[in-house]
Amino acid sequence: MCQEITLALPCMGLDACSHSLADLGVPFRVVYGYDTHMGLLGPITDLHGPDATGIYLGPCGDILAADISTWHRVDGVVSGPPCPPWSTIGLQRGWSDWRAQVFEKVTDVIVDQGYKGAYFFLVEMVEGMAHQAASAKHNRARDAQAESPHTAWVADLGVRAPMWEIHVWKMNTQSYLPQHRPRLYTVGVNKAMGCQSPKPPLSPPLASRPRLDNIMHPGIPAIQEDTLSRQHRSNLQAAKITIQKKLSAARGDNHQEVWAAVPLDRNPDCTWGVAIRTDGNVATLRTAHLWQWILHWRNGVLRVSRRLHPIEHLTLQGFPPELARSMGQADVVRGAGNACSVPVMGLSLIHISEPTR
Protein backbone atom coordinates (compact mmCIF):
# COMPACT_ATOMS: atom_id res chain seq x y z
CA MET A 1 0.00 0.00 0.00
CA CYS A 2 1.43 3.38 -1.01
CA GLN A 3 1.85 6.03 1.63
CA GLU A 4 -0.64 8.91 1.42
CA ILE A 5 0.70 12.05 -0.29
CA THR A 6 -0.29 15.38 1.25
CA LEU A 7 -0.59 18.33 -1.10
CA ALA A 8 -0.82 22.11 -1.30
CA LEU A 9 -2.59 23.27 -4.47
CA PRO A 10 -2.47 27.04 -4.92
CA CYS A 11 -4.42 27.83 -8.13
CA MET A 12 -5.96 24.34 -8.08
CA GLY A 13 -8.45 24.97 -10.91
CA LEU A 14 -10.33 21.83 -11.96
CA ASP A 15 -7.73 19.94 -9.92
CA ALA A 16 -5.97 17.86 -12.55
CA CYS A 17 -3.57 16.84 -9.80
CA SER A 18 -6.22 15.03 -7.74
CA HIS A 19 -7.90 13.54 -10.82
CA SER A 20 -4.60 12.12 -12.05
CA LEU A 21 -3.62 10.64 -8.68
CA ALA A 22 -7.08 9.11 -8.29
CA ASP A 23 -6.78 7.57 -11.77
CA LEU A 24 -3.38 6.15 -10.82
CA GLY A 25 -4.67 4.75 -7.53
CA VAL A 26 -2.23 6.82 -5.45
CA PRO A 27 -3.57 7.79 -2.00
CA PHE A 28 -3.52 11.57 -1.49
CA ARG A 29 -5.04 14.35 0.57
CA VAL A 30 -5.33 18.04 -0.32
CA VAL A 31 -4.38 19.96 2.79
CA TYR A 32 -4.44 23.42 1.18
CA GLY A 33 -6.38 24.15 -2.01
CA TYR A 34 -7.06 27.65 -3.34
CA ASP A 35 -8.85 29.09 -6.39
CA THR A 36 -10.90 32.24 -6.93
CA HIS A 37 -13.22 30.64 -9.53
CA MET A 38 -16.47 29.94 -7.67
CA GLY A 39 -17.81 28.06 -10.71
CA LEU A 40 -15.57 25.15 -9.67
CA LEU A 41 -17.60 24.46 -6.53
CA GLY A 42 -19.66 21.66 -8.09
CA PRO A 43 -16.85 19.54 -9.58
CA ILE A 44 -14.50 20.15 -6.61
CA THR A 45 -17.25 19.10 -4.18
CA ASP A 46 -17.97 16.01 -6.28
CA LEU A 47 -14.28 15.10 -6.24
CA HIS A 48 -13.39 15.78 -2.60
CA GLY A 49 -16.78 15.53 -0.89
CA PRO A 50 -18.88 18.23 0.78
CA ASP A 51 -16.98 17.93 4.07
CA ALA A 52 -13.49 18.45 2.64
CA THR A 53 -11.46 20.87 4.73
CA GLY A 54 -8.62 23.09 3.59
CA ILE A 55 -10.15 23.84 0.17
CA TYR A 56 -11.16 27.45 -0.46
CA LEU A 57 -12.99 28.77 -3.52
CA GLY A 58 -14.27 32.16 -4.60
CA PRO A 59 -13.33 35.25 -2.57
CA CYS A 60 -11.90 33.13 0.26
CA GLY A 61 -9.82 31.23 -2.31
CA ASP A 62 -7.52 34.18 -3.03
CA ILE A 63 -4.04 32.76 -2.47
CA LEU A 64 -2.66 36.31 -2.22
CA ALA A 65 -4.53 36.73 1.07
CA ALA A 66 -3.42 33.38 2.54
CA ASP A 67 -1.02 33.44 5.50
CA ILE A 68 1.26 30.61 4.38
CA SER A 69 3.50 31.01 7.43
CA THR A 70 0.79 29.18 9.40
CA TRP A 71 0.66 26.25 6.98
CA HIS A 72 1.87 22.86 8.10
CA ARG A 73 4.36 20.90 6.06
CA VAL A 74 3.00 18.98 3.05
CA ASP A 75 4.69 16.41 0.82
CA GLY A 76 4.27 18.36 -2.40
CA VAL A 77 3.25 21.71 -3.89
CA VAL A 78 1.50 21.55 -7.26
CA SER A 79 0.32 24.63 -9.13
CA GLY A 80 -0.46 26.19 -12.50
CA PRO A 81 -0.40 29.96 -11.86
CA PRO A 82 -2.02 32.39 -14.34
CA CYS A 83 -0.12 32.46 -17.64
CA PRO A 84 -1.36 35.70 -19.35
CA PRO A 85 1.71 37.72 -18.24
CA TRP A 86 3.86 35.49 -20.50
CA SER A 87 1.40 33.97 -22.98
CA THR A 88 2.17 34.60 -26.67
CA ILE A 89 -1.48 35.61 -27.26
CA GLY A 90 -1.50 38.03 -24.33
CA LEU A 91 -0.01 41.48 -23.72
CA GLN A 92 3.21 39.89 -22.40
CA ARG A 93 3.74 42.42 -19.65
CA GLY A 94 5.66 39.89 -17.60
CA TRP A 95 6.28 40.72 -13.97
CA SER A 96 4.63 44.10 -14.50
CA ASP A 97 1.27 42.37 -14.98
CA TRP A 98 -0.68 42.31 -11.70
CA ARG A 99 -1.50 38.64 -12.29
CA ALA A 100 2.19 37.86 -11.88
CA GLN A 101 1.66 38.48 -8.15
CA VAL A 102 -0.02 35.07 -8.00
CA PHE A 103 3.07 33.44 -9.53
CA GLU A 104 5.22 35.19 -6.95
CA LYS A 105 2.96 33.96 -4.12
CA VAL A 106 3.18 30.41 -5.45
CA THR A 107 6.96 30.84 -5.39
CA ASP A 108 6.72 31.95 -1.75
CA VAL A 109 4.78 28.75 -1.00
CA ILE A 110 7.49 26.64 -2.68
CA VAL A 111 10.22 28.40 -0.68
CA ASP A 112 8.30 28.12 2.60
CA GLN A 113 7.51 24.44 2.11
CA GLY A 114 11.10 23.73 1.09
CA TYR A 115 12.31 24.92 4.48
CA LYS A 116 9.54 22.97 6.19
CA GLY A 117 10.72 19.74 4.55
CA ALA A 118 8.36 19.19 1.59
CA TYR A 119 9.56 16.49 -0.79
CA PHE A 120 8.70 18.03 -4.16
CA PHE A 121 7.05 20.78 -6.14
CA LEU A 122 5.58 20.91 -9.65
CA VAL A 123 4.68 24.12 -11.52
CA GLU A 124 3.08 24.15 -14.97
CA MET A 125 3.68 27.23 -17.14
CA VAL A 126 3.44 28.37 -20.75
CA GLU A 127 6.46 28.11 -23.04
CA GLY A 128 6.37 31.88 -23.50
CA MET A 129 7.94 32.29 -20.08
CA ALA A 130 11.08 30.58 -21.37
CA HIS A 131 11.13 32.23 -24.81
CA GLN A 132 10.07 35.79 -24.18
CA ALA A 133 12.88 38.31 -24.64
CA ALA A 134 13.26 41.37 -22.45
CA SER A 135 11.06 44.21 -23.66
CA ALA A 136 11.00 47.95 -23.18
CA LYS A 137 7.33 47.78 -22.22
CA HIS A 138 8.26 45.94 -19.01
CA ASN A 139 8.79 48.34 -16.16
CA ARG A 140 10.65 46.30 -13.60
CA ALA A 141 14.39 45.69 -13.61
CA ARG A 142 13.67 41.99 -13.34
CA ASP A 143 12.29 42.08 -16.90
CA ALA A 144 15.30 43.98 -18.26
CA GLN A 145 17.65 41.03 -17.83
CA ALA A 146 19.04 39.24 -20.86
CA GLU A 147 17.80 35.82 -19.76
CA SER A 148 14.23 34.65 -20.12
CA PRO A 149 11.76 35.21 -17.27
CA HIS A 150 11.88 31.48 -16.56
CA THR A 151 15.66 31.40 -16.29
CA ALA A 152 15.62 34.41 -13.99
CA TRP A 153 12.89 32.82 -11.84
CA VAL A 154 14.79 29.52 -11.49
CA ALA A 155 17.97 31.39 -10.54
CA ASP A 156 16.09 33.46 -7.96
CA LEU A 157 14.44 30.36 -6.53
CA GLY A 158 17.82 28.66 -6.26
CA VAL A 159 19.12 31.53 -4.11
CA ARG A 160 16.02 31.74 -1.91
CA ALA A 161 15.59 28.00 -1.44
CA PRO A 162 18.84 26.15 -2.21
CA MET A 163 17.43 22.86 -0.96
CA TRP A 164 15.55 22.38 -4.24
CA GLU A 165 17.13 20.44 -7.10
CA ILE A 166 15.29 21.85 -10.10
CA HIS A 167 14.50 20.21 -13.44
CA VAL A 168 12.55 21.48 -16.45
CA TRP A 169 10.50 19.08 -18.56
CA LYS A 170 8.90 20.07 -21.85
CA MET A 171 5.58 18.27 -22.17
CA ASN A 172 2.80 18.41 -24.75
CA THR A 173 -0.76 17.18 -24.28
CA GLN A 174 -0.81 15.95 -27.89
CA SER A 175 1.35 13.01 -26.80
CA TYR A 176 -1.68 11.75 -24.87
CA LEU A 177 -4.75 13.47 -26.29
CA PRO A 178 -5.49 15.26 -29.60
CA GLN A 179 -4.82 18.77 -28.30
CA HIS A 180 -1.66 20.74 -29.14
CA ARG A 181 -0.75 22.16 -25.73
CA PRO A 182 3.00 22.59 -25.17
CA ARG A 183 3.93 23.44 -21.59
CA LEU A 184 6.94 23.67 -19.32
CA TYR A 185 6.80 21.59 -16.16
CA THR A 186 9.31 22.89 -13.63
CA VAL A 187 9.86 20.30 -10.93
CA GLY A 188 11.94 20.27 -7.81
CA VAL A 189 12.98 17.60 -5.33
CA ASN A 190 14.28 18.39 -1.88
CA LYS A 191 17.97 17.49 -1.65
CA ALA A 192 17.94 18.20 2.10
CA MET A 193 15.38 15.40 2.55
CA GLY A 194 17.49 12.89 0.60
CA CYS A 195 15.18 12.86 -2.43
CA GLN A 196 16.54 11.27 -5.59
CA SER A 197 16.60 13.00 -8.97
CA PRO A 198 13.51 12.10 -11.01
CA LYS A 199 13.91 10.89 -14.57
CA PRO A 200 12.03 12.87 -17.24
CA PRO A 201 8.84 11.14 -18.41
CA LEU A 202 8.83 9.36 -21.75
CA SER A 203 5.92 9.95 -24.12
CA PRO A 204 3.79 6.87 -24.85
CA PRO A 205 3.58 5.45 -28.39
CA LEU A 206 1.52 7.70 -30.64
CA ALA A 207 -0.61 4.72 -31.65
CA SER A 208 -1.95 4.51 -28.09
CA ARG A 209 -3.31 8.06 -28.21
CA PRO A 210 -7.04 8.45 -28.96
CA ARG A 211 -7.90 10.10 -32.25
CA LEU A 212 -9.97 13.26 -32.49
CA ASP A 213 -12.95 11.29 -33.78
CA ASN A 214 -12.74 9.15 -30.61
CA ILE A 215 -13.06 12.32 -28.54
CA MET A 216 -16.11 13.66 -30.38
CA HIS A 217 -19.23 12.95 -28.37
CA PRO A 218 -22.18 11.32 -30.16
CA GLY A 219 -25.55 13.02 -30.43
CA ILE A 220 -24.21 16.50 -31.23
CA PRO A 221 -25.52 17.80 -34.60
CA ALA A 222 -22.88 17.64 -37.32
CA ILE A 223 -23.69 20.78 -39.32
CA GLN A 224 -24.27 24.02 -37.42
CA GLU A 225 -22.85 26.63 -39.78
CA ASP A 226 -26.23 28.36 -40.10
CA THR A 227 -26.07 29.30 -36.40
CA LEU A 228 -22.94 31.38 -36.88
CA SER A 229 -22.75 35.15 -36.91
CA ARG A 230 -21.79 36.88 -40.15
CA GLN A 231 -18.21 37.40 -38.93
CA HIS A 232 -17.85 33.78 -37.83
CA ARG A 233 -19.20 32.56 -41.18
CA SER A 234 -16.69 34.78 -42.92
CA ASN A 235 -13.86 33.45 -40.75
CA LEU A 236 -14.97 29.87 -41.39
CA GLN A 237 -15.07 30.35 -45.15
CA ALA A 238 -11.59 31.89 -45.09
CA ALA A 239 -10.37 29.00 -42.94
CA LYS A 240 -11.74 26.39 -45.37
CA ILE A 241 -9.90 28.05 -48.26
CA THR A 242 -6.69 28.21 -46.23
CA ILE A 243 -7.00 24.56 -45.18
CA GLN A 244 -7.69 23.33 -48.71
CA LYS A 245 -4.66 25.21 -50.03
CA LYS A 246 -2.53 23.83 -47.22
CA LEU A 247 -3.65 20.27 -47.86
CA SER A 248 -3.25 20.51 -51.61
CA ALA A 249 0.29 21.82 -51.21
CA ALA A 250 1.21 19.07 -48.76
CA ARG A 251 -0.61 16.03 -50.17
CA GLY A 252 -2.08 16.97 -53.53
CA ASP A 253 -5.81 16.88 -54.17
CA ASN A 254 -6.23 13.20 -53.29
CA HIS A 255 -6.32 13.34 -49.48
CA GLN A 256 -8.84 10.76 -48.29
CA GLU A 257 -9.57 11.82 -44.70
CA VAL A 258 -8.71 15.04 -42.90
CA TRP A 259 -9.61 16.37 -39.46
CA ALA A 260 -9.02 20.10 -39.05
CA ALA A 261 -9.59 22.62 -36.27
CA VAL A 262 -9.74 26.40 -36.43
CA PRO A 263 -10.58 29.11 -33.87
CA LEU A 264 -13.44 31.12 -35.41
CA ASP A 265 -12.86 34.02 -33.04
CA ARG A 266 -9.75 34.73 -35.13
CA ASN A 267 -9.65 35.79 -38.77
CA PRO A 268 -7.54 33.29 -40.74
CA ASP A 269 -6.48 36.08 -43.12
CA CYS A 270 -4.68 37.71 -40.18
CA THR A 271 -1.63 36.08 -38.64
CA TRP A 272 -2.05 37.06 -34.98
CA GLY A 273 -3.51 34.39 -32.78
CA VAL A 274 -4.67 32.05 -35.56
CA ALA A 275 -3.92 28.36 -35.13
CA ILE A 276 -5.39 26.29 -37.96
CA ARG A 277 -4.48 22.67 -37.46
CA THR A 278 -4.75 19.81 -39.94
CA ASP A 279 -2.69 17.26 -38.01
CA GLY A 280 -5.58 15.66 -36.10
CA ASN A 281 -5.14 17.94 -33.08
CA VAL A 282 -7.15 20.92 -31.92
CA ALA A 283 -5.35 24.11 -31.00
CA THR A 284 -4.59 24.87 -27.36
CA LEU A 285 -7.83 25.30 -25.45
CA ARG A 286 -8.30 28.76 -23.98
CA THR A 287 -10.41 30.08 -21.14
CA ALA A 288 -12.79 32.08 -23.35
CA HIS A 289 -12.60 29.87 -26.43
CA LEU A 290 -16.19 28.93 -27.22
CA TRP A 291 -15.56 28.93 -30.96
CA GLN A 292 -13.04 26.24 -31.79
CA TRP A 293 -14.52 24.72 -34.95
CA ILE A 294 -14.03 21.14 -36.10
CA LEU A 295 -14.03 20.14 -39.78
CA HIS A 296 -13.82 16.64 -41.24
CA TRP A 297 -13.38 15.77 -44.90
CA ARG A 298 -13.56 12.27 -46.31
CA ASN A 299 -12.74 11.71 -49.99
CA GLY A 300 -13.10 15.44 -50.56
CA VAL A 301 -16.60 15.64 -49.00
CA LEU A 302 -17.14 17.81 -45.92
CA ARG A 303 -18.90 15.54 -43.42
CA VAL A 304 -18.52 17.34 -40.09
CA SER A 305 -18.60 21.08 -39.51
CA ARG A 306 -19.47 22.15 -35.97
CA ARG A 307 -18.30 23.85 -32.83
CA LEU A 308 -16.27 21.87 -30.34
CA HIS A 309 -18.72 21.21 -27.52
CA PRO A 310 -17.77 22.32 -23.98
CA ILE A 311 -17.97 18.70 -22.82
CA GLU A 312 -15.31 17.87 -25.41
CA HIS A 313 -13.10 20.59 -23.91
CA LEU A 314 -13.10 18.51 -20.72
CA THR A 315 -12.38 15.28 -22.59
CA LEU A 316 -9.49 16.88 -24.47
CA GLN A 317 -7.93 17.74 -21.11
CA GLY A 318 -8.43 14.23 -19.72
CA PHE A 319 -11.28 15.09 -17.35
CA PRO A 320 -14.43 12.95 -17.12
CA PRO A 321 -17.31 14.54 -19.06
CA GLU A 322 -19.56 14.10 -16.03
CA LEU A 323 -17.97 17.23 -14.52
CA ALA A 324 -20.14 19.31 -16.88
CA ARG A 325 -23.27 18.27 -14.96
CA SER A 326 -22.49 20.66 -12.12
CA MET A 327 -21.12 23.54 -14.23
CA GLY A 328 -22.43 26.07 -16.71
CA GLN A 329 -21.03 25.97 -20.25
CA ALA A 330 -18.94 29.11 -19.78
CA ASP A 331 -17.50 27.68 -16.53
CA VAL A 332 -16.67 24.40 -18.31
CA VAL A 333 -14.78 26.21 -21.08
CA ARG A 334 -13.00 28.49 -18.62
CA GLY A 335 -12.14 25.61 -16.31
CA ALA A 336 -10.81 23.39 -19.09
CA GLY A 337 -8.77 26.21 -20.61
CA ASN A 338 -7.21 27.05 -17.23
CA ALA A 339 -6.52 23.45 -16.27
CA CYS A 340 -3.45 21.29 -16.54
CA SER A 341 -3.94 18.16 -18.65
CA VAL A 342 -4.74 15.16 -16.47
CA PRO A 343 -2.53 12.52 -18.20
CA VAL A 344 0.45 14.91 -18.39
CA MET A 345 0.04 15.82 -14.75
CA GLY A 346 -0.26 12.18 -13.73
CA LEU A 347 2.85 11.03 -15.57
CA SER A 348 4.86 13.95 -14.18
CA LEU A 349 3.70 13.38 -10.61
CA ILE A 350 4.43 9.65 -10.66
CA HIS A 351 7.98 10.34 -11.91
CA ILE A 352 8.55 12.93 -9.18
CA SER A 353 6.93 11.24 -6.22
CA GLU A 354 8.14 7.67 -6.78
CA PRO A 355 11.82 8.39 -6.00
CA THR A 356 10.88 10.49 -2.98
CA ARG A 357 8.96 7.79 -1.10
Side-chain angles (χ1 to χ4, degrees), residues 228-247:
L228 295 173
S229 67
R230 179 181 299 178
Q231 184 59 58
H232 282 165
R233 285 198 300 270
S234 175
N235 289 352
L236 177 59
Q237 183 59 32
K240 287 180 180 178
I241 294 172
T242 300
I243 291 169
Q244 292 287 5
K245 288 181 179 178
K246 183 178 180 180
L247 293 174

Side-chain angles (χ1 to χ4, degrees), residues 21-337:
L21 291 175
D23 289 345
L24 293 167
V26 177
F28 69 93
R29 178 167 53 91
V30 177
V31 182
Y32 306 103
Y34 284 78
D35 202 286
T36 57
H37 186 190
M38 196 63 191
L40 301 172
L41 178 61
I44 294 299
T45 300
D46 291 343
L47 179 62
H48 295 284
D51 299 324
T53 59
I55 296 178
Y56 305 94
L57 299 176
C60 62
D62 184 1
I63 187 63
L64 294 178
D67 183 4
I68 63 173
S69 67
T70 65
W71 287 14
H72 300 293
R73 174 205 167 274
V74 294
D75 293 325
V77 178
V78 181
S79 186
C83 64
W86 300 278
S87 173
T88 56
I89 64 171
L91 297 177
Q92 299 184 40
R93 290 175 175 166
W95 300 107
S96 301
D97 192 315
W98 68 268
R99 290 164 293 191
Q101 296 176 35
V102 180
F103 197 104
E104 293 178 326
K105 187 60 176 278
V106 170
T107 305
D108 292 340
V109 173
I110 292 170
V111 173
D112 180 69
Q113 285 294 324
Y115 281 102
K116 288 176 178 175
Y119 291 141
F120 68 89
F121 74 82
L122 170 62
V123 179
E124 188 233 41
M125 59 193 70
V126 294
E127 285 190 315
M129 193 173 183
H131 297 160
Q132 180 184 339
S135 170
K137 65 185 176 184
H138 299 162
N139 297 323
R140 293 176 55 175
R142 189 173 180 179
D143 288 304
Q145 303 175 32
E147 66 267 291
S148 71
H150 182 264
T151 301
W153 172 71
V154 170
D156 180 63
L157 181 59
V159 172
R160 295 178 60 193
M163 76 288 295
W164 292 119
E165 178 187 303
I166 300 173
H167 303 264
V168 181
W169 296 339
K170 294 183 178 181
M171 309 279 282
N172 195 324
T173 301
Q174 71 179 21
S175 297
Y176 311 87
L177 294 163
Q179 180 200 175
H180 177 70
R181 193 183 189 87
R183 290 292 185 269
L184 295 179
Y185 277 73
T186 304
V187 305
V189 291
N190 198 324
K191 297 177 291 185
M193 301 302 296
C195 298
Q196 302 175 15
S197 299
K199 296 180 180 179
L202 297 176
S203 299
L206 188 60
S208 66
R209 189 199 76 165
R211 289 159 37 104
L212 185 56
D213 50 329
N214 301 135
I215 296 295
M216 308 288 279
H217 284 253
I220 298 174
I223 304 294
Q224 299 178 3
E225 294 185 16
D226 58 349
T227 66
L228 295 173
S229 67
R230 179 181 299 178
Q231 184 59 58
H232 282 165
R233 285 198 300 270
S234 175
N235 289 352
L236 177 59
Q237 183 59 32
K240 287 180 180 178
I241 294 172
T242 300
I243 291 169
Q244 292 287 5
K245 288 181 179 178
K246 183 178 180 180
L247 293 174
S248 296
R251 314 180 190 182
D253 295 323
N254 298 319
H255 49 271
Q256 293 184 345
E257 187 167 19
V258 176
W259 284 92
V262 58
L264 291 193
D265 55 345
R266 299 284 184 261
N267 187 336
D269 292 331
C270 301
T271 57
W272 185 85
V274 177
I276 297 176
R277 305 204 66 88
T278 57
D279 59 354
N281 297 301
V282 303
T284 302
L285 298 176
R286 307 198 308 269
T287 57
H289 200 181
L290 283 166
W291 289 105
Q292 179 134 223
W293 203 263
I294 303 300
L295 299 162
H296 176 225
W297 286 271
R298 181 177 293 162
N299 297 324
V301 178
L302 182 62
R303 295 178 176 269
V304 175
S305 177
R306 68 166 173 85
R307 188 185 72 166
L308 188 69
H309 195 276
I311 291 177
E312 293 162 339
H313 285 234
L314 291 174
T315 309
L316 283 163
Q317 285 282 59
F319 291 99
E322 292 78 16
L323 292 186
R325 295 174 182 170
S326 56
M327 304 174 70
Q329 285 198 1
D331 286 329
V332 170
V333 173
R334 177 183 172 184

